C-alpha cells in the first residue's frame, strides 16, 4: 500500500505497551480523516492485538508495519510487548527495542514518510529521521501534570513544585527515587528524545483540566505543547462481550463498579485479598478483571482469591481473567464507578464516559494521576496505610461513597459536567494538531 498523492504520510513508532499503542492508533484514526496516511510500526505481537480495531473503514489509510526485535535470552517473540510481561524482563525488552533501531532505519528508508511521530525513550528514531531530512515529533501519552512534575525534579531539584495538589507521599517518593536511580539511561534517553522533537511536542491531554501544567511543562523544556485530546478508542461490540453485557443489563443503573489495574501491573496475593475483602464489604455489584504475568505457572483466579469469596459474591460479582472490554463496560448504564490504578488512558476513559474514579494507584505516574483525580473532583482515592499497604475497609468505604452515598453526589455531578463538556468540544484539539503537522511538513 502506498500513500495517495497530496496526502501526508506519517510513520508512527509507539513504545511497546498497550497504554502507548492505543493512543497512537487513535491519533492515527483521527488523522486519516484529515487526509493523512499512517504507517503504524510495532512488533508482530502488538500489531496482532490491534488488527481487529483497524476496521475496513481505515484499511486504506492505516498500514501496519512489523518491527522485528533481536532474539535475546528469555525474551521470545510473544514477550515483545509489555502486556503480560513478567516485571523482571522489562529492562530486557527496553534493550531489545533499542537494538531494533537498525531495523527501524531500514523501514524508514523503504517507506520514506513525510513525518515521524515517536514515543518517549526513542531518541534514535528522531536521529534516523533527521539524517534523512524527515521531520520528527514526539508524542507523549502521559498527563501534562506528571510531565511537569518529572521535569521539575530534573531541572529544579530542591525547589518546591509550584502545584502542591500534585505530590507524592513518602513511600511513593522513595519508590520514584528508586525507579529514577535504576533508570538513569532511560531518563537521559527521555530527555534526549524530547529535545529532538522539532518545534513542538504532542501530549495526550486537554486544556480544559491541564492547561496550567501544559504551560509550566512548556516553560521547562522550551517547546510548544500541543494537546491532542483524550483519544478514547471506539467501543467494538463482539461475541466476547455478550455474556458481560447480559450480566450488566440485569443490574440497576449506576449500581456497580468496574475494577481493573491495567495491563502491566500484577497484584500480589496480599493485594488481591485486600481488594476482594473491600469489594465484599462494599456490598456493591462489580466486574473485576485480574491479570497474571504470561507464562506464570499455577496461577488461577480461584487459588488467588480468598477461600469462598466467589461463592459469597456470586449474585453481584463477576471476576474475569486477563482481559475485559473496558470501554464497553465503563459505557454501560449500570456502572457507577471505576476502581482504577489511574493509568492515564483509564483516567481519560472515565472522564469520557462520565464514570467517577475510586483511585488506587500502584506505581510510576499513577499516584500523581490519582492526586489529579481528587483535585479536579471527579474521584476519591482509597488511601493506603503509612507503609503503602492497601486497606480493605478503606476500599469499601470509598466505593460506597462514590457509588451509593449522598456524600459522593458532588463527585458524581462533577464527572457528569466534565463528561458533557469534553464530548461537546469534540475535535477542537485535533484541528490544532493537524495545523501544526501540516505547517511542519510544508517547511521542511
Amino acid at each position: 500500500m502506498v500513500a495517495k498523492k497530496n496526502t501526508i504520510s506519517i510513520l508512527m513508532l509507539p513504545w511497546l505497551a498497550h497504554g502507548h499503542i492505543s493512543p497512537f492508533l487513535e491519533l492515527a484514526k483521527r488523522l486519516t480523516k484529515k487526509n493523512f496516511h499512517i504507517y503504524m510500526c510495532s512488533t508482530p505481537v502488538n500489531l496482532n492485538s490491534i488488527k481487529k480495531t483497524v476496521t475496513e473503514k481505515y484499511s486504506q489509510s492505516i498500514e501496519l508495519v512489523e518491527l522485528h526485535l533481536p532474539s535475546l535470552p528469555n525474551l521470545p517473540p510473544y514477550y515483545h510487548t509489555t502486556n503480560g510481561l513478567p516485571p523482571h524482563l522489562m529492562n530486557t525488552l527496553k534493550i531489545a527495542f533499542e537494538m531494533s533501531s537498525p531495523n527501524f532505519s531500514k523501514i524508514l528508508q523503504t517507506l520514506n514518510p513525510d513525518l515521524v511521530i515517536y514515543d518517549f525513550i526513542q531518541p534514535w528514531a528522531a536521529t534516523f529521521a533527521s539524517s534523512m531530512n524527515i521531520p520528527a515529533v514526539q508524542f507523549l501519552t502521559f498527563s501534562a501534570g506528571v510531565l511537569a512534575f518529572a521535569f521539575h525534579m530534573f531541572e529544579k531539584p530542591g525547589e518546591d513544585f509550584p502545584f502542591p495538589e500534585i505530590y507524592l507521599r513518602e513511600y511513593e517518593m522513595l519508590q520514584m527515587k528508586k525507579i529514577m536511580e535504576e533508570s538513569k539511561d532511560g531518563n537521559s534517553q527521555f530527555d534526549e528524545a524530547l529535545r529532538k522533537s522539532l518545534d513542538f511536542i504532542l501530549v495526550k491531554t486537554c486544556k480544559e483540566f491541564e492547561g496550567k501544567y501544559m504551560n509550566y511543562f512548556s516553560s521547562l523544556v522550551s517547546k510548544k505543547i500541543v494537546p491532542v485530546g483524550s483519544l478514547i478508542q471506539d467501543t467494538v461490540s463482539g461475541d466476547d462481550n455478550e455474556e458481560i453485557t447480559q450480566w450488566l443489563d440485569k443490574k440497576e443503573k449506576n449500581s456497580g463498579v468496574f475494577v481493573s489495574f491495567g495491563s502491566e501491573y500484577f497484584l500480589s496475593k496480599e493485594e488481591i485479598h485486600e481488594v476482594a475483602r473491600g469489594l465484599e464489604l462494599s456490598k456493591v455489584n462489580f466486574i473485576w478483571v485480574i491479570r497474571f504475568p504470561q507464562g506464570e505457572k499455577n496461577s488461577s483466579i480461584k487459588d488467588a482469591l480468598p477461600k469462598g469469596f466467589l461463592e459469597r459474591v456470586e449474585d453481584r460479582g463477576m471476576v474475569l481473567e486477563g482481559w475485559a472490554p473496558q470501554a464497553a463496560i465503563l459505557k454501560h448504564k449500570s456502572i457507577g464507578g471505576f476502581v482504577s490504578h489511574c493509568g492515564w488512558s483509564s483516567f481519560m476513559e472515565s472522564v469520557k464516559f462520565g464514570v467517577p474514579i475510586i483511585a488506587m494507584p500502584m506505581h510510576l505516574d499513577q499516584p500523581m494521576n490519582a492526586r489529579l483525580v481528587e483535585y479536579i473532583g471527579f474521584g476519591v482515592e482509597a488511601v493506603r496505610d503509612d507503609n503503602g499497604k492497601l486497606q480493605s475497609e478503606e476500599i469499601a468505604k470509598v466505593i460506597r461513597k462514590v457509588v451509593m452515598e449522598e456524600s459522593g453526589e458532588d463527585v458524581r455531578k462533577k464527572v457528569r459536567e466534565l463528561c458533557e463538556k469534553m464530548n461537546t468540544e469534540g475535535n477542537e484539539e485535533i484541528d490544532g494538531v493537524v495545523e501544526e503537522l501540516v505547517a511542519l511538513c510544508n517547511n521542511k
Side-chain angles (χ1 to χ4, degrees):
M1 196 188 306
V2 180
K4 296 174 189 171
K5 285 183 179 178
N6 303 320
T7 63
I8 292 175
S9 61
I10 300 177
L11 177 58
M12 289 189 173
L13 183 69
W15 165 236
L16 307 174
H18 177 74
H20 291 244
I21 293 163
S22 178
F24 267 74
L25 181 59
E26 293 312 309
L27 177 58
K29 288 177 179 178
R30 283 156 178 76
L31 289 176
T32 61
K33 295 171 186 173
K34 306 287 185 178
N35 207 30
F36 287 80
H37 183 91
I38 310 296
Y39 301 107
M40 180 63 66
C41 184
S42 193
T43 54
V45 64
N46 278 321
L47 295 181
N48 284 337
S49 73
I50 63 170
K51 268 179 185 168
K52 68 178 179 183
T53 65
V54 183
T55 55
E56 195 174 330
K57 177 176 159 187
Y58 299 105
S59 60
Q60 294 303 305
S61 45
I62 297 178
E63 185 172 351
L64 304 182
V65 179
E66 291 187 351
L67 176 69
H68 294 280
L69 272 52
S71 296
L72 294 182
N74 303 318
L75 201 75
Y78 62 82
Y79 277 162
H80 291 172
T81 175
T82 65
N83 193 1
L85 183 73
H88 72 277
L89 289 175
M90 186 63 76
N91 200 47
T92 309
L93 181 63
K94 286 176 181 172
I95 291 166
F97 190 46
E98 191 170 350
M99 287 172 68
S100 74
S101 60
N103 293 342
F104 176 75
S105 176
K106 286 174 190 166
I107 290 168
L108 201 57
Q109 288 167 26
T110 303
L111 297 176
N112 193 26
D114 297 305
L115 178 72
V116 168
I117 297 181
Y118 63 99
D119 212 331
F120 74 123
I121 49 169
Q122 296 148 25
W124 40 270
T127 301
F128 286 131
S130 177
S131 71
M132 293 178 62
N133 199 31
I134 298 170
V137 171
Q138 190 173 43
F139 173 31
L140 297 174
T141 59
F142 308 101
S143 75
V146 163
L147 291 165
F149 185 89
F151 273 84
H152 176 90
M153 288 177 71
F154 295 149
E155 301 288 330
K156 301 182 178 183
E159 283 189 35
D160 287 343
F161 186 56
F163 307 105
E165 67 272 11
I166 296 181
Y167 63 92
L168 292 175
R169 298 189 174 96
E170 190 175 344
Y171 66 84
E172 293 165 341
M173 185 59 86
L174 289 171
Q175 183 189 56
M176 179 62 77
K177 283 178 177 173
K178 185 182 176 189
I179 290 168
M180 288 175 73
E181 190 61 35
E182 290 171 353
S183 308
K184 280 183 178 172
D185 289 345
N187 294 339
S188 62
Q189 280 188 322
F190 192 2
D191 188 58
E192 188 188 349
L194 188 143
R195 307 290 173 193
K196 288 187 173 184
S197 184
L198 287 180
D199 298 352
F200 58 89
I201 298 161
L202 302 173
V203 177
K204 180 187 169 179
T205 192
C206 304
K207 280 183 188 171
E208 179 61 37
F209 49 82
E210 282 219 296
K212 64 181 181 179
Y213 310 126
M214 284 169 50
N215 293 338
Y216 186 60
F217 180 45
S218 177
S219 73
L220 288 174
V221 298
S222 303
K223 286 187 188 289
K224 184 176 182 180
I225 306 302
V226 179
V228 300
S230 59
L231 298 182
I232 302 305
Q233 68 183 49
D234 300 328
T235 51
V236 180
S237 57
D239 297 338
D240 295 346
N241 305 1
E242 198 172 319
E243 184 187 349
I244 295 167
T245 304
Q246 286 175 359
W247 188 87
L248 287 167
D249 285 345
K250 293 172 187 169
K251 307 300 176 190
E252 289 180 24
K253 187 178 180 183
N254 297 330
S255 66
V257 293
F258 176 55
V259 187
S260 173
F261 300 97
S263 59
E264 294 176 40
Y265 187 83
F266 308 104
L267 298 180
S268 66
K269 189 157 188 175
E270 181 188 357
E271 288 171 328
I272 287 173
H273 279 226
E274 288 298 317
V275 173
R277 279 194 286 267
L279 290 168
E280 192 171 350
L281 288 169
S282 76
K283 301 283 194 287
V284 304
N285 302 320
F286 65 87
I287 290 185
W288 180 10
V289 56
I290 298 179
R291 294 178 175 88
F292 303 104
Q294 273 194 54
E296 190 172 281
K297 292 173 183 172
N298 306 320
S299 294
S300 75
I301 283 176
K302 195 166 177 63
D303 293 338
L305 289 165
K307 193 172 181 183
F309 171 77
L310 290 172
E311 290 74 21
R312 291 193 299 274
V313 299
E314 187 176 11
D315 293 336
R316 62 181 180 84
M318 177 184 274
V319 184
L320 308 168
E321 184 177 341
W323 179 85
Q326 180 162 302
I329 293 171
L330 289 174
K331 204 175 177 181
H332 197 278
K333 62 179 174 40
S334 73
I335 294 296
F338 183 10
V339 179
S340 172
H341 64 311
C342 293
W344 192 234
S345 289
S346 292
F347 178 111
M348 287 292 200
E349 281 189 332
S350 261
V351 181
K352 174 79 173 175
F353 298 126
V355 180
I357 291 177
I358 295 94
M360 288 174 54
M362 295 297 164
H363 63 162
L364 303 174
D365 60 328
Q366 296 157 18
M368 288 168 276
N369 292 339
R371 308 298 117 79
L372 195 58
V373 164
E374 287 213 311
Y375 176 66
I376 294 167
F378 68 85
V380 181
E381 185 173 351
V383 180
R384 295 165 180 250
D385 69 16
D386 292 340
N387 298 313
K389 302 283 188 188
L390 296 174
Q391 306 174 88
S392 55
E393 291 85 359
E394 172 73 3
I395 294 168
K397 183 182 85 175
V398 175
I399 288 174
R400 288 196 62 79
K401 175 180 178 175
V402 168
V403 178
M404 312 283 291
E405 292 172 358
E406 197 176 323
S407 60
E409 181 52 37
D410 285 350
V411 168
R412 297 190 288 271
K413 184 182 175 190
K414 181 70 177 179
V415 171
R416 287 194 297 270
E417 288 170 357
L418 201 53
C419 167
E420 203 173 299
K421 194 156 192 176
M422 268 184 74
N423 292 331
T424 303
E425 288 174 358
N427 293 323
E428 282 178 25
E429 284 103 347
I430 287 298
D431 292 338
V433 172
V434 169
E435 197 176 306
E436 297 286 354
L437 294 179
V438 169
L440 189 60
C441 291
N442 287 342
N443 292 335
K444 72 172 182 175

